[in-house]
Amino acid sequence: MRRWLPLLAIALAVSASAQAPRAPFVIAETGQGFATLDEAVQSVRMGTATILIAPGNYRECTVQAGGHITFKAVEPGKAIFERTVCEDKAAFVLRGLGSVVDGLVFRGFSVGDGNGAGIRTELGDLTVRNSMFLDSQEGILGGEPSGQRITIDRSTFSGLGQCDQAVNCSHSIYLGNKGSVTITNSRFERGTGGHYVKLRSPNVTITGNSFDDSAGAKTNYMIDLSEGATGLIGGNTFVQGRGKENDGALIVIAAEAKTYSSAGLRIEGNDASMGRGAPGNPAFVADYSHARLAIGANRLGPGIRAFETR
């Protein structure tokens, strides 16, 4: 009978190991687990790592101060960060060498200055994909005065923005840098103030997105290139809603400054329509730059003027 005891002990140990809870944050390259996201982030230091995030609702935040980190949901859409911010800014404050956010959900962020966000990018290139930003003052905010590259793909922005909680407005996306911003295959809907996309960058690509303002409230422009830009706005769908704070235009170029040249900015292949009860007679493009834009064929529904110069 004794000879079976070692086998029984091994079986019990294996069973206990299988039932032990897996750490919610795991470094993919090493298998090391952490109880909090910030512990995992700080362990990377100036290295490169992928942090796998288990399904769950997390009321915690992190500041990435170095390294290249990919934040990846084990099951896209089931790792949810809500309400808790770091530095009175965002759930993720990113100032490392580079960051990737993949498959996460951010919701319910609010701070005193009106800029509570899912992500605040301050340094390093940033890629966001397959993620959701919901019911907050801001979705993604920030940028750096350098050649930073920001790419957002296959993501959803819903219930974001404000102009009545603080001195300055906030927006679904508000980014500025001297590099580029690319936004593709993403959905913007149910805005609650400000613009859906506000950019201060010399080079932009905004393609294949859906801007559905039909359930928006107190919203302004769909796209605001505040200081001008070159690049492409193409293949997007726009629906102008009725709950507008500013119903004068859908896309606005250089309304605040002419910091960047807008000559050759291509706006083509877009669809725009007026939702039920949408007010006014908006311009599809309102241009303050007076540059020679490259506006191609766009399908505009009744009640939308193609262009105006201001």
Side-chain angles (χ1 to χ4, degrees):
M1 193 70 175
R2 288 182 180 175
R3 62 179 179 176
W4 298 109
L5 292 177
L7 295 177
L8 180 59
I10 291 172
L12 290 173
V14 171
S15 176
S17 176
Q19 295 175 13
R22 180 178 174 85
F25 308 101
V26 176
I27 304 295
E29 292 79 3
T30 65
Q32 184 179 8
F34 296 87
T36 71
L37 177 60
D38 200 54
E39 289 173 346
V41 168
Q42 303 316 317
S43 75
V44 177
R45 299 179 183 272
M46 294 302 292
T48 298
T50 297
I51 300 176
L52 302 177
I53 303 174
N57 287 56
Y58 300 103
R59 291 194 178 183
E60 55 183 276
C61 60
T62 190
V63 177
Q64 178 191 350
H68 292 85
I69 298 179
T70 295
F71 302 86
K72 184 176 179 62
V74 173
E75 296 183 46
K78 294 187 177 181
I80 302 168
F81 289 85
E82 54 188 359
R83 298 191 181 182
T84 301
V85 300
C86 285
E87 299 182 347
D88 210 31
K89 294 176 180 178
F92 287 18
V93 179
L94 305 177
R95 47 176 179 262
L97 300 176
S99 309
V100 176
V101 175
D102 189 351
L104 303 183
V105 178
F106 300 88
R107 70 185 183 196
F109 300 105
S110 176
V111 298
D113 70 359
N115 286 315
I119 294 175
R120 173 79 73 96
T121 173
E122 297 184 348
L123 286 173
D125 292 347
L126 171 64
T127 296
V128 177
R129 53 180 177 250
N130 305 316
S131 295
M132 301 181 72
F133 299 82
L134 310 173
D135 303 319
S136 302
Q137 291 171 328
E138 204 124 26
I140 304 175
L141 168 66
E144 62 170 298
S146 72
Q148 181 191 37
R149 293 172 297 177
I150 298 175
T151 301
I152 300 165
D153 184 45
R154 300 191 303 276
S155 295
T156 295
F157 299 81
S158 181
L160 304 167
Q162 64 79 32
C163 285
D164 55 8
Q165 300 173 23
V167 175
N168 297 314
C169 294
S170 56
H171 317 279
S172 296
I173 292 177
Y174 186 9
L175 296 168
N177 61 27
K178 295 187 182 299
S180 65
V181 176
T182 298
I183 303 172
T184 53
N185 308 310
S186 295
R187 181 171 179 80
F188 298 84
E189 63 183 12
R190 199 171 52 83
T192 52
H195 309 306
Y196 284 96
V197 171
K198 182 179 179 73
L199 304 178
R200 301 179 187 274
S201 180
N203 301 290
V204 304
T205 301
I206 305 172
T207 59
N209 304 289
S210 169
F211 294 84
D212 182 0
D213 189 44
S214 58
K218 303 179 182 179
T219 56
N220 288 281
Y221 308 137
M222 308 286 195
I223 298 173
D224 178 23
L225 305 182
S226 305
E227 301 181 45
T230 55
L232 171 63
I233 300 174
N236 304 288
T237 299
F238 301 87
V239 178
Q240 179 85 330
R242 63 183 180 181
K244 306 297 294 183
E245 183 176 87
N246 188 331
D247 60 11
L250 280 69
I251 300 170
V252 178
I253 313 299
E256 298 180 31
K258 301 177 185 178
T259 307
Y260 307 115
S261 171
S262 299
L265 173 66
R266 293 163 54 206
I267 304 175
E268 61 190 25
N270 300 285
D271 285 88
S273 61
M274 298 286 278
R276 179 177 296 180
N281 182 30
F284 181 57
V285 177
D287 176 47
Y288 290 76
S289 74
H290 301 158
R292 183 171 293 182
L293 307 178
I295 300 180
N298 297 285
R299 292 169 290 277
L300 306 180
I304 300 178
R305 296 174 291 117
F307 178 82
E308 74 176 27
T309 300
R310 298 180 178 179

